[in-house]
Structure formats: C-alpha cells, structure tokens
Amino acid sequence: MKTKKRIALIAHDNKKSDIVSWACDNSAILSRYELCGTGTTAKLISDSTGLNVERFLSGPLGGDQQIGAKIAEGAIDMVVFFWDPLQAQPHDPDVKALLRIAVVYDIPIATNKATANLIVGSRA
C-alpha cells in the first residue's frame, strides 16, 4: 500500500527556472511527496531544493512517455508540467500524449504556478 502520493515534475526549457523557483518556494510541501521528473528538470529541482527526485529521461528522449506509462500503471498521482505554449516543441506529439493520458486516468495536471499551488495545497 502506497503511503505517499507521487508527483511528476516536468518543464520545458523556457520554463525550467519557473519550476525550480516554484519548487524552492514549496519545498516543505513537496517533501511530503515522492517526486519524479524528466531529465534536467528533476536534476535542477533536486540540486536546488535538496529533495530526492527520481530522474527519468529527458522529455524529447522519451521522458514524457515514461511519465505517461507510470500514470497508466497507477504509479503517479499528480503532474506539475510547466510547458511553454509559445515555443514549438520537437516532441509535441509526446507532450500531447502525456496530457491526454493524464486526463484519461483522471490525474490532476498543473500547467502553471497557480494551478500547481492549488494541487499541492489540496488534500487530493
């Protein structure tokens, strides 16, 4: 039986500093969760907060798909994905697939700071 909920942390390149800042501001809350994330994002958050963040591959190299698979397995409870809607992404089909799988499995997904604050502050 799982005791801690698990949050996946993801950010596009132009949003990495935003998610790191958000994670630093919320490190006390995040310490109550198991954390995982894609490549560089997971490393940056871990280095900046001291929190343990399991690293998957970089998003363009399959990390988004790995997170999606974990959602389908029931191994991820929430996703915080600071995506950049103004920048074309070469792995856009993977991003859309991740967003789709989160909706299919009824997983809360925050795509900005305001929603991320609501999700981690809730009892969900």
Side-chain angles (χ1 to χ4, degrees):
M1 182 179 216
K2 221 174 10 174
T3 58
K4 284 186 172 183
K5 292 196 179 230
R6 192 168 194 209
I7 300 177
L9 304 165
I10 307 163
H12 284 148
D13 288 344
N14 290 343
K15 297 292 182 174
K16 289 197 190 310
S17 63
D18 294 341
I19 200 168
V20 169
S21 175
W22 174 83
C24 288
D25 291 344
N26 291 280
S27 62
I29 294 170
L30 292 175
S31 70
R32 294 183 250 164
Y33 295 93
E34 289 182 9
L35 304 173
C36 63
T38 52
T40 306
T41 302
K43 181 175 179 2
L44 289 170
I45 291 170
S46 182
D47 289 349
S48 296
T49 64
L51 297 170
N52 183 36
V53 184
E54 179 184 0
R55 285 179 71 185
F56 291 108
L57 296 172
S58 169
L61 298 178
D64 296 332
Q65 292 178 342
Q66 287 179 301
I67 299 282
K70 291 294 182 187
I71 290 170
E73 293 168 5
I76 291 180
D77 302 292
M78 298 175 239
V79 177
V80 174
F81 184 0
F82 284 18
W83 68 293
D84 186 353
L86 302 177
Q87 182 72 35
Q89 301 297 325
H91 63 295
D92 192 56
D94 297 337
V95 172
K96 286 185 176 141
L98 175 61
L99 296 171
R100 185 179 312 108
I101 202 79
V103 171
V104 166
Y105 284 91
D106 200 25
I107 298 299
I109 183 162
T111 57
N112 59 38
K113 182 178 161 183
T115 309
N117 287 338
L118 287 171
I119 287 176
V120 299
S122 77
R123 293 184 166 186

